Amino acid sequence: MKTIETNSLHAWILAARPKTLTAAAIPVMTGCALAYIYGHFQAVPAILCFLFAFLMQIDSNLINDLYDFLKGSDREDRLGPERACAQGWITVKAMKTGICITTLLAAMTGLCLLRYGGWELILVGMACIVFAFLYTFLAYKGWGDVLVLIFFGFIPVGCTYYIMAHNWNTAVTMGSLACGLIIDTLLMVNNFRDRQQDAISGKRTLVVRFGSRIGLILYFSLGLVACWCCFYFVTLGKIFAALLPQFYLLMHIFTTIKMAKINHGKELNRILGETSRNMFIFGLLLTIGLIL
């Protein structure tokens, strides 16, 4: 990689990890599609929900970058993508400032949503901000998968729908569960790749606790159960919302086989890329299926 000027725009773009924004987009897409089928979709709050989700994802990425650097987890044996603080692309002082600015922008966007969803959303917004700051710490304790299910499933899908419809139903629950599970595949492949380094750093992920074989089984099972959740939408007469996401399962099977063959090393970053692609396709197919 060419030399990155310290604290440059290029450095900040890399630190924001734009490829991870698909994880923020999928649950909001699903929440919007659910609002649409019940006749509650509104364009302005939808845009604000996407903006809030993107800002919180970037904020979490920046905090994670800084935390891992200060903890000393970004060692020379790191297998994942390079980090901004560890590489010297962004100084610690600048990163702290960037985190403050991103958090403030996210909070301001959340306040704009109060007009549509009510003051009760303040508690949800505060929970999201606290999650962004505590996620990395709690992930070291092995709570990462549960947090992904909540903050990439139930909260973004449910709140996007609630802001427009002011209620909650079983379809929202099943959509939230499907999104949370599918996005957790991304965390699972990260933890599978980093299992040896995580064990050294004291990060107690499920893969570290139970081994690579269980990690592989969990990775496949997450995608499988997410697809099964979609069959609920048949009860709403949304046959395409049940069938279209099943095409994801074929890609997921092939990716799981590749993951098992590679097993360890930097080559697993290919699986990370494929998983990100697969889960976005899942989200897109589910969204289209709900709208049709």
Side-chain angles (χ1 to χ4, degrees):
M1 180 180 289
K2 66 179 182 180
T3 302
I4 307 298
E5 185 178 345
T6 303
N7 297 335
S8 64
L9 176 61
H10 188 194
W12 282 107
I13 291 173
L14 291 172
R17 294 183 239 167
K19 291 182 179 180
T20 65
L21 296 184
T22 55
I26 291 168
V28 178
M29 287 164 51
T30 303
C32 287
L34 288 166
Y36 176 83
I37 67 174
Y38 285 102
H40 300 298
F41 178 78
Q42 301 173 62
V44 174
I47 293 170
L48 290 173
C49 285
F50 274 110
L51 183 58
F52 180 79
F54 290 154
L55 286 168
M56 289 310 306
Q57 179 66 54
I58 292 170
D59 204 26
S60 181
N61 289 342
L62 297 181
I63 293 167
N64 179 251
D65 193 303
L66 178 64
Y67 183 88
D68 280 351
F69 174 71
L70 295 177
K71 190 175 175 61
S73 300
D74 289 332
R75 304 184 304 271
E76 291 183 358
D77 62 349
R78 176 177 172 79
L79 299 176
E82 295 173 327
R83 296 290 181 83
C85 283
Q87 295 298 316
W89 299 337
I90 296 177
T91 63
V92 170
K93 181 179 179 181
M95 183 63 83
K96 289 179 179 179
T97 301
I99 290 169
C100 289
I101 292 172
T102 309
T103 303
L104 181 61
L105 289 173
M108 290 171 62
T109 304
L111 288 174
C112 292
L113 283 166
L114 296 182
R115 176 184 176 186
Y116 301 94
W119 292 99
E120 60 272 21
L121 290 177
I122 290 178
L123 293 176
V124 178
M126 290 174 61
C128 290
I129 291 173
V130 170
F131 160 74
F133 280 89
L134 291 184
Y135 169 75
T136 303
F137 170 76
L138 293 172
Y140 272 81
K141 305 299 181 182
W143 288 95
D145 301 278
V146 175
L147 293 172
V148 166
L149 192 60
I150 296 171
F151 286 93
F152 285 90
F154 289 97
I155 287 182
V157 175
C159 286
T160 298
Y161 179 82
Y162 179 82
I163 285 166
M164 301 181 200
H166 298 284
N167 61 51
W168 189 293
N169 54 44
T170 306
V172 176
T173 299
M174 298 307 292
S176 299
L177 188 58
C179 286
L181 291 170
I182 214 71
I183 293 171
D184 196 34
T185 60
L186 197 63
L187 177 64
M188 191 60 66
V189 70
N190 260 306
N191 292 342
F192 183 85
R193 179 199 61 204
D194 296 337
R195 59 191 185 273
Q196 294 175 330
Q197 289 73 21
D198 285 345
I200 295 172
S201 300
K203 190 174 183 180
R204 304 294 293 168
T205 65
L206 292 178
V207 183
V208 170
R209 290 173 185 269
F210 301 109
S212 59
R213 185 172 180 273
I214 296 298
L216 197 64
I217 293 171
L218 287 173
Y219 174 81
F220 176 71
S221 299
L222 287 167
L224 180 63
V225 176
C227 287
W228 286 351
C229 288
C230 295
F231 284 116
Y232 168 80
F233 297 113
V234 172
T235 65
L236 304 180
K238 292 291 180 178
I239 186 70
F240 288 111
L243 295 181
L244 287 180
Q246 308 310 314
F247 287 103
Y248 153 86
L249 193 55
L250 185 61
M251 295 183 294
H252 184 59
I253 291 171
F254 287 138
T255 300
T256 303
I257 293 171
K258 289 181 187 178
M259 182 173 164
K261 288 180 178 179
I262 295 172
N263 193 259
H264 64 276
K266 282 194 173 184
E267 199 176 351
L268 283 169
N269 287 325
R270 286 174 45 207
I271 304 302
L272 187 67
E274 285 191 20
T275 300
S276 181
R277 176 205 66 193
N278 293 350
M279 72 182 196
F280 182 72
I281 291 173
F282 173 90
L284 193 60
L285 291 173
L286 177 56
T287 299
I288 294 171
L290 286 168
I291 292 172
L292 289 176

